[in-house]
Amino acid sequence: MGLLIKNAVIVNPDKIAAKPQDILCVDGKINKIAAGIAAENHDVVDAKGKKILPGFIDMHVHLRQPGREDKETIETGSRAAAKGGFTSIFCMPNTQPVIDNAMVVEFIIREAKRAGLCNVYPVGAISKGQHDQELTDMAELKEAGCLAISDDGKSVLNSRLFRLAMEYAKMLDLLVIEHCQDPLLSAGGVMNEGEVSTRLGLKGDPAIAETVIVARDIEIARYLDARVHLAHMSLERSVELIRWAKVQGIKVTAEACPHHFALTDEACASFETGTKVNPPLRSKEDIEAIKAGIADGTIDCIVTDHAPHTKEDKELGFDDAPFGLIGLETALGLVIKELVKPGIIDLPKMVDRMSTSPARVTGLKNKGTIKEGFDADLVIIDEHKEWTVTTAGFVSKSKNSPFVGWKLVGEAQLTVCGGNVVFRAA
Ligand code: DOR
Ligand code: ZN
């Protein structure tokens, strides 16, 4: 007995299907796509009037377990993912302890399986303890199940170490994900350096803190003919550098977050710590460049950088509160509101940036497209649904979002992971 989804209009990265079809899922796979599949003894879901997309894949999530289960756990983060339409998430290594050995990787995979709501892929650390001094045992991390490595939360500032990491990762076919922010240049910065930070009297984090690492990493990737993936790009200049590198044939891919195209640094004038994030919110020109980069493919993937923090932590003053905001439950609504409705991208391109490209970049086979034989990871959406973000509506353990009160467009109605319904809208 399987799951039969009736009357769904399939959206893939190349097109929106002309007519509704049925999708039969058996043993975690898409078994058959056709019109009028007989119900037999399958569980039936009617998707009439709705679109069905490959489940979203978020390459950049912070789950906080192990170590800060008061902020998020693998289970609560997976639930937030399912509600947002995500069926696969990559969790960053800045946990306590750091994901720098097989035991932590195996623990996360085990917990994720127990929760059974979402595929969770731990990202191993590049340096032991994320101390930027000694490489982790990448072969061990890969063997334990890592597809990617990163010291996310901070850059690998040590260029020699980064070069070695890129060489080993190339041999092991691991994806290197870099958080681009020179900590010496950004030291003490709590928001974007510019006119707004000057006006507010807050210490600025300059654009060059991001772009010097972007430029360095592109150059190392070129030198080694190795691939690098640049996390949460926030600047016009970063987009220009990546666009140039791609034209040269350098193996660089990149991602951007909804908050970096939905908000400018003017949002920090509220002194609302929900707007304090790394990299910081930038200028109007940067927003336009990020949108253009997403539209033309310079930015391959849209990710959330879901970074849960407790109310107590975020109630500190702007200088002292931690960086980060939650994003899994607002991503789809922000992407449709800010990019799809204004005509910057269409739904197939949204599928590419949120499902197909993340699957390609991370090397996930059989995901990111709705196709017979592929994994039954699917999301039914209502792209016209208007809804208002509320604190009470979040299923994430943390509620730190600058979008509370915003009216968004587009919502996941039903999420299917491995052929199982993992979320159903009320
Ligand atoms: O704002 C952020 N929060 N950026 C990061 O890179 C790390 C993250 C976190 O772990 O809280
Ligand atoms: Zn980061």
Side-chain angles (χ1 to χ4, degrees):
M1 168 162 130
L3 176 71
L4 178 62
I5 302 166
K6 303 280 295 176
N7 310 310
V9 173
I10 297 174
V11 186
N12 266 321
D14 55 341
K15 66 170 188 297
I16 303 182
K19 284 194 278 231
Q21 282 178 300
D22 299 346
I23 302 175
L24 177 64
C25 309
V26 179
D27 294 333
K29 302 277 178 203
I30 298 172
N31 179 277
K32 191 174 175 188
I33 302 173
I37 301 176
E40 296 181 4
N41 57 350
H42 305 306
D43 288 334
V44 177
V45 167
D46 191 4
K48 198 166 178 198
K50 306 279 190 319
K51 303 236 167 30
I52 190 159
L53 283 54
F56 304 133
I57 299 172
D58 191 345
M59 291 178 61
H60 199 134
V61 170
H62 297 270
L63 287 179
R64 307 299 187 213
Q65 191 179 9
R68 286 306 302 263
E69 291 80 358
D70 54 331
K71 297 190 177 198
E72 195 80 285
T73 65
I74 291 157
E75 184 174 343
T76 59
S78 296
R79 187 164 295 125
K83 180 159 170 268
F86 292 91
T87 49
S88 293
I89 56 179
F90 285 70
C91 60
M92 287 297 166
N94 60 341
T95 46
Q96 298 162 11
V98 166
I99 310 177
D100 63 3
N101 64 78
M103 226 166 68
V104 187
V105 176
E106 284 157 7
F107 164 76
I108 292 168
I109 293 173
R110 207 165 49 238
E111 278 299 300
K113 288 228 167 82
R114 199 182 53 74
L117 295 163
C118 186
N119 303 299
V120 177
Y121 300 94
V123 175
I126 291 175
S127 67
K128 284 188 185 161
Q130 294 190 276
H131 294 314
D132 202 13
Q133 286 178 0
E134 197 184 340
L135 290 179
T136 52
D137 185 336
M138 292 175 199
E140 174 187 309
L141 292 170
K142 167 130 186 172
E143 174 79 21
C146 289
L147 301 174
I149 52 167
S150 178
D151 266 1
D152 187 68
K154 33 187 181 176
S155 279
V156 180
L157 186 62
N158 180 334
S159 300
R160 181 182 160 274
L161 199 75
F162 193 70
R163 178 232 170 118
L164 288 174
M166 290 274 285
E167 285 181 322
Y168 286 123
K170 184 179 178 182
M171 277 189 304
L172 293 164
D173 196 24
L174 280 164
L175 178 70
V176 176
I177 304 174
E178 174 84 298
H179 171 115
C180 302
Q181 189 177 34
D182 181 319
L184 303 172
L185 283 167
S186 67
V190 295
M191 67 171 292
N192 181 47
E193 179 179 285
E195 187 230 306
V196 185
S197 64
T198 306
R199 197 176 79 224
L200 301 177
L202 291 173
K203 176 126 173 58
D205 175 350
I208 48 167
E210 174 169 313
T211 57
V212 293
I213 302 291
V214 169
R216 181 201 70 173
D217 288 5
I218 287 171
E219 191 60 1
I220 293 176
R222 184 193 64 77
Y223 185 72
L224 301 174
D225 190 29
R227 63 195 175 122
V228 67
H229 179 78
L230 305 177
H232 41 53
M233 291 291 93
S234 67
L235 291 158
E236 179 177 26
R237 183 67 187 142
S238 298
V239 175
E240 285 170 3
L241 287 165
I242 296 161
R243 190 175 285 126
W244 173 84
K246 285 187 169 186
V247 170
Q248 309 306 306
I250 299 168
K251 293 177 178 136
V252 56
T253 52
E255 57 180 48
C257 309
H259 51 271
H260 284 126
F261 58 71
L263 287 169
T264 67
D265 56 358
E266 281 289 353
C268 301
S270 63
F271 290 97
E272 161 57 56
T273 59
T275 64
K276 183 177 175 182
V277 62
N278 255 340
L281 303 175
R282 307 286 192 179
S283 71
K284 183 96 185 58
E285 291 72 34
D286 293 314
I287 284 191
E288 294 311 318
I290 294 291
K291 286 179 181 172
I294 291 170
D296 74 9
T298 302
I299 303 285
D300 303 80
C301 311
I302 297 173
V303 304
T304 67
D305 196 7
H306 180 81
H309 291 293
T310 59
K311 191 160 177 275
E312 293 70 32
D313 283 353
K314 277 292 196 182
E315 268 171 4
L316 295 167
F318 207 91
D319 283 333
D320 301 314
F323 294 94
L325 53 91
I326 57 168
L328 287 167
E329 297 171 66
T330 49
L332 176 63
L334 284 166
V335 169
I336 293 184
K337 180 190 169 93
E338 304 288 337
L339 303 181
V340 178
K341 288 283 166 197
I344 294 164
I345 59 173
D346 56 11
L347 282 181
K349 205 173 260 190
M350 179 182 94
V351 165
D352 181 77
R353 306 299 187 257
M354 295 183 75
S355 306
T356 321
S357 279
R360 169 178 53 82
V361 170
T362 57
L364 285 178
K365 304 268 180 283
N366 305 320
K367 291 194 192 294
T369 304
I370 299 182
K371 194 170 156 179
E372 285 178 5
F374 269 43
D375 294 344
D377 293 351
L378 304 160
V379 58
I380 296 171
I381 68 160
D382 179 345
E383 81 266 33
H384 305 297
K385 175 84 183 279
E386 289 197 8
W387 60 284
T388 302
V389 183
T390 62
T391 304
F394 286 126
V395 299
S396 169
K397 209 169 202 182
S398 291
K399 320 288 173 194
N400 53 305
S401 168
F403 299 110
V404 171
W406 278 45
K407 196 172 259 183
L408 304 186
V409 190
E411 193 182 56
Q413 299 292 300
L414 187 116
T415 309
V416 174
C417 185
N420 299 312
V421 175
V422 288
F423 168 76
R424 205 184 283 263

PDB file of all heavy atoms in Angstrom, residues 60 62 152-153 179 231-232 278 305, ligand 2:
ATOM      1  N   HIS A  60      21.510  24.947   4.439  1.00  0.00           N
ATOM      2  CA  HIS A  60      22.127  25.744   5.506  1.00  0.00           C
ATOM      3  C   HIS A  60      21.176  25.956   6.682  1.00  0.00           C
ATOM      4  O   HIS A  60      20.393  26.903   6.707  1.00  0.00           O
ATOM      5  CB  HIS A  60      22.562  27.098   4.922  1.00  0.00           C
ATOM      6  CG  HIS A  60      23.577  27.796   5.761  1.00  0.00           C
ATOM      7  ND1 HIS A  60      24.702  28.373   5.238  1.00  0.00           N
ATOM      8  CD2 HIS A  60      23.650  28.007   7.100  1.00  0.00           C
ATOM      9  CE1 HIS A  60      25.416  28.908   6.209  1.00  0.00           C
ATOM     10  NE2 HIS A  60      24.788  28.704   7.357  1.00  0.00           N
ATOM     11  N   HIS A  62      20.868  25.572  11.158  1.00  0.00           N
ATOM     12  CA  HIS A  62      21.507  25.317  12.458  1.00  0.00           C
ATOM     13  C   HIS A  62      20.474  24.634  13.349  1.00  0.00           C
ATOM     14  O   HIS A  62      19.424  25.211  13.641  1.00  0.00           O
ATOM     15  CB  HIS A  62      21.978  26.632  13.092  1.00  0.00           C
ATOM     16  CG  HIS A  62      23.033  27.316  12.283  1.00  0.00           C
ATOM     17  ND1 HIS A  62      24.383  27.076  12.455  1.00  0.00           N
ATOM     18  CD2 HIS A  62      22.949  28.215  11.267  1.00  0.00           C
ATOM     19  CE1 HIS A  62      25.074  27.803  11.586  1.00  0.00           C
ATOM     20  NE2 HIS A  62      24.228  28.507  10.854  1.00  0.00           N
ATOM     21  N   ASP A 152      31.119  26.751   9.271  1.00  0.00           N
ATOM     22  CA  ASP A 152      30.109  27.810   9.290  1.00  0.00           C
ATOM     23  C   ASP A 152      29.875  28.390  10.680  1.00  0.00           C
ATOM     24  O   ASP A 152      29.863  27.686  11.685  1.00  0.00           O
ATOM     25  CB  ASP A 152      28.779  27.341   8.722  1.00  0.00           C
ATOM     26  CG  ASP A 152      27.832  28.523   8.600  1.00  0.00           C
ATOM     27  OD1 ASP A 152      28.100  29.388   7.769  1.00  0.00           O
ATOM     28  OD2 ASP A 152      26.867  28.592   9.384  1.00  0.00           O
ATOM     29  N   GLY A 153      29.626  29.683  10.667  1.00  0.00           N
ATOM     30  CA  GLY A 153      29.595  30.464  11.891  1.00  0.00           C
ATOM     31  C   GLY A 153      30.815  31.357  11.846  1.00  0.00           C
ATOM     32  O   GLY A 153      30.811  32.478  12.306  1.00  0.00           O
ATOM     33  N   HIS A 179      31.810  30.031   5.031  1.00  0.00           N
ATOM     34  CA  HIS A 179      31.190  31.222   5.614  1.00  0.00           C
ATOM     35  C   HIS A 179      32.190  32.352   5.392  1.00  0.00           C
ATOM     36  O   HIS A 179      33.274  32.339   5.981  1.00  0.00           O
ATOM     37  CB  HIS A 179      30.950  30.951   7.106  1.00  0.00           C
ATOM     38  CG  HIS A 179      30.512  32.133   7.904  1.00  0.00           C
ATOM     39  ND1 HIS A 179      29.276  32.198   8.497  1.00  0.00           N
ATOM     40  CD2 HIS A 179      31.149  33.272   8.222  1.00  0.00           C
ATOM     41  CE1 HIS A 179      29.175  33.358   9.148  1.00  0.00           C
ATOM     42  NE2 HIS A 179      30.290  34.022   9.001  1.00  0.00           N
ATOM     43  N   ALA A 231      28.664  30.427   1.172  1.00  0.00           N
ATOM     44  CA  ALA A 231      27.419  30.485   1.942  1.00  0.00           C
ATOM     45  C   ALA A 231      26.872  31.909   2.022  1.00  0.00           C
ATOM     46  O   ALA A 231      27.615  32.894   1.898  1.00  0.00           O
ATOM     47  CB  ALA A 231      27.658  29.937   3.351  1.00  0.00           C
ATOM     48  N   HIS A 232      25.582  31.984   2.209  1.00  0.00           N
ATOM     49  CA  HIS A 232      24.829  33.229   2.450  1.00  0.00           C
ATOM     50  C   HIS A 232      25.466  34.508   1.907  1.00  0.00           C
ATOM     51  O   HIS A 232      25.867  35.388   2.669  1.00  0.00           O
ATOM     52  CB  HIS A 232      24.472  33.391   3.931  1.00  0.00           C
ATOM     53  CG  HIS A 232      25.552  33.008   4.922  1.00  0.00           C
ATOM     54  ND1 HIS A 232      26.814  33.505   4.868  1.00  0.00           N
ATOM     55  CD2 HIS A 232      25.517  32.184   6.000  1.00  0.00           C
ATOM     56  CE1 HIS A 232      27.523  33.003   5.855  1.00  0.00           C
ATOM     57  NE2 HIS A 232      26.759  32.184   6.563  1.00  0.00           N
ATOM     58  N   ASN A 278      24.335  37.374  10.779  1.00  0.00           N
ATOM     59  CA  ASN A 278      25.628  37.288  10.106  1.00  0.00           C
ATOM     60  C   ASN A 278      25.521  36.489   8.822  1.00  0.00           C
ATOM     61  O   ASN A 278      25.055  35.363   8.878  1.00  0.00           O
ATOM     62  CB  ASN A 278      26.647  36.571  11.004  1.00  0.00           C
ATOM     63  CG  ASN A 278      27.629  37.531  11.611  1.00  0.00           C
ATOM     64  OD1 ASN A 278      27.819  38.635  11.132  1.00  0.00           O
ATOM     65  ND2 ASN A 278      28.260  37.091  12.690  1.00  0.00           N
ATOM     66  N   ASP A 305      19.653  29.644   6.370  1.00  0.00           N
ATOM     67  CA  ASP A 305      20.532  29.935   7.513  1.00  0.00           C
ATOM     68  C   ASP A 305      19.703  29.998   8.808  1.00  0.00           C
ATOM     69  O   ASP A 305      19.967  30.840   9.681  1.00  0.00           O
ATOM     70  CB  ASP A 305      21.335  31.229   7.312  1.00  0.00           C
ATOM     71  CG  ASP A 305      22.512  31.336   8.289  1.00  0.00           C
ATOM     72  OD1 ASP A 305      22.777  30.363   9.013  1.00  0.00           O
ATOM     73  OD2 ASP A 305      23.145  32.403   8.331  1.00  0.00           O
TER      74      ASP A 305
HETATM   75 ZN    ZN B   2      27.308  31.180   8.203  1.00  0.00          ZN
END
